[in-house]
Amino acid sequence: MSTISVVIPSYNDAAMLRECLHRVREQLRPADEIVVVDNASTDETAEVARSLGAVVVHQPVRGIFPAAAAGYDAASGDIIARLDADSRPPADWLAHIEAELTVSPEVGVLTGPGEFYDGNPLVTWLGENLYIGGYFWFGGLWLDNGPIFGSNFAMRREVWLRVRDHVHRDLRRVHDDLDLSLHLPPDVVVRVDDTLRVGISSRPFSSWRAFGRRLGWAYLTFRLNWPEKSPWRIREERERYRMQHSADDEAGQGDATSAV
């Protein structure tokens, strides 16, 4: 049976983190390890994490990707699952992840959308449909693969080990889940499961300025990876992999036939 580590980056979010950790501890399939990354917090983030059984990793470099990457590095599980400090996973979240990755060994990353549990109806609609829905739609077109949604995903440990030295993990303003998606090798399948859902806060969309900041992160991420990770180069790389894989399969079948 695979082991699962849950990684939660947190910056000055002790109250939200407490609620998130309670929900992780109430999972039907318990986490084998919980890693909270204290991203230079000045509140009780570290104390809250330790009091609820989490391993605390300190990352003094501010930013979502520096913090998340430090957590992925520290995680020891066969599967690394990711939440935000303000996430609220349902009780079957880890059981769902384990079951799907067990029956689908070809899937390297499993991800799903978020559902806002706060905010007014307009912010909720815009966030879920335009931002999250648009992200999955546009990301899928660009990547020829499912894009990873950072507030709700799980990846096999070997996937992270393959990309950790290639992503822009030290940059604060990079869109971390998009950058990770862009650097996945052509053989890594990302499955977007619409039924794998977690509650997320609408705080990042509470103002046009906050919303624009996230769009700016996405623009910078695409610019940093251009043209190496342009849609046509990604498709060329995937096609070369498929052709090579097909040739290897045919060669293997020919060898087996000759042996008979």
Side-chain angles (χ1 to χ4, degrees), residues 45-58:
T45 287
E47 290 77 6
V48 167
R50 291 193 186 96
S51 71
L52 291 170
V55 175
V56 177
V57 174
H58 295 280

Side-chain angles (χ1 to χ4, degrees), residues 2-7 32-33 35 71-81 155-158 161:
S2 297
T3 54
I4 303 178
S5 297
V6 178
V7 172
D32 297 285
E33 176 184 56
V35 178
Y72 304 153
D73 285 344
S76 62
D78 303 312
I79 297 169
I80 301 174
M155 61 182 165
R156 300 186 192 275
R157 178 175 176 77
E158 59 265 26
L161 294 179

Side-chain angles (χ1 to χ4, degrees), residues 6-233:
V6 178
V7 172
I8 309 171
S10 181
Y11 168 68
N12 285 348
D13 223 352
M16 288 287 195
L17 177 64
R18 186 185 300 277
E19 175 66 22
C20 179
L21 288 174
H22 276 301
R23 289 176 181 261
V24 173
R25 286 166 58 89
E26 294 170 355
Q27 291 290 300
L28 299 175
R29 192 286 187 200
D32 297 285
E33 176 184 56
I34 304 171
V35 178
V36 171
V37 184
D38 179 8
N39 196 199
S41 299
T42 57
D43 67 354
E44 299 178 344
T45 287
E47 290 77 6
V48 167
R50 291 193 186 96
S51 71
L52 291 170
V55 175
V56 177
V57 174
H58 295 280
Q59 171 53 280
V61 179
R62 286 279 310 282
I64 298 176
F65 211 174
Y72 304 153
D73 285 344
S76 62
D78 303 312
I79 297 169
I80 301 174
R82 159 76 188 280
L83 293 169
D84 289 329
D86 55 13
S87 295
R88 296 183 178 179
D92 65 345
W93 184 64
L94 289 179
H96 187 152
I97 288 170
E98 182 178 54
E100 194 154 355
L101 291 180
T102 297
V103 301
S104 302
E106 75 282 1
V107 175
V109 183
L110 179 66
T111 190
E115 296 179 330
F116 292 116
Y117 56 77
D118 56 9
N120 62 58
L122 177 60
V123 169
T124 295
W125 189 90
L126 290 173
E128 291 185 358
N129 291 276
L130 294 187
Y131 185 80
I132 298 177
Y135 173 73
F136 278 114
W137 177 79
F138 183 75
L141 289 178
W142 188 289
L143 297 163
D144 192 31
N145 201 5
I148 298 169
F149 182 53
S151 301
N152 176 23
F153 82 94
M155 61 182 165
R156 300 186 192 275
R157 178 175 176 77
E158 59 265 26
V159 171
W160 173 245
L161 294 179
R162 293 175 66 185
V163 303
R164 57 185 286 187
D165 295 327
H166 303 286
V167 296
H168 295 90
R169 55 181 291 163
D170 298 322
L171 298 183
R172 177 178 180 176
R173 294 187 298 116
V174 163
H175 198 296
D176 64 307
D177 39 2
L178 177 58
D179 194 70
L180 178 58
S181 300
L182 286 165
H183 284 90
L184 292 177
D187 60 310
V188 174
V189 175
V190 178
R191 175 176 292 170
V192 179
D193 183 348
D194 190 59
T195 68
L196 181 71
R197 292 175 172 259
V198 299
I200 60 175
S201 175
S202 65
R203 293 182 302 167
F205 309 97
S206 59
S207 69
W208 287 110
R209 182 179 179 182
F211 182 71
R213 183 166 58 244
R214 276 157 177 75
L215 293 179
W217 293 348
Y219 170 77
L220 175 63
T221 304
F222 281 124
R223 186 163 63 84
L224 285 172
N225 290 292
W226 186 272
E228 290 79 9
K229 300 300 180 181
S230 60
W232 48 90
R233 291 195 179 181

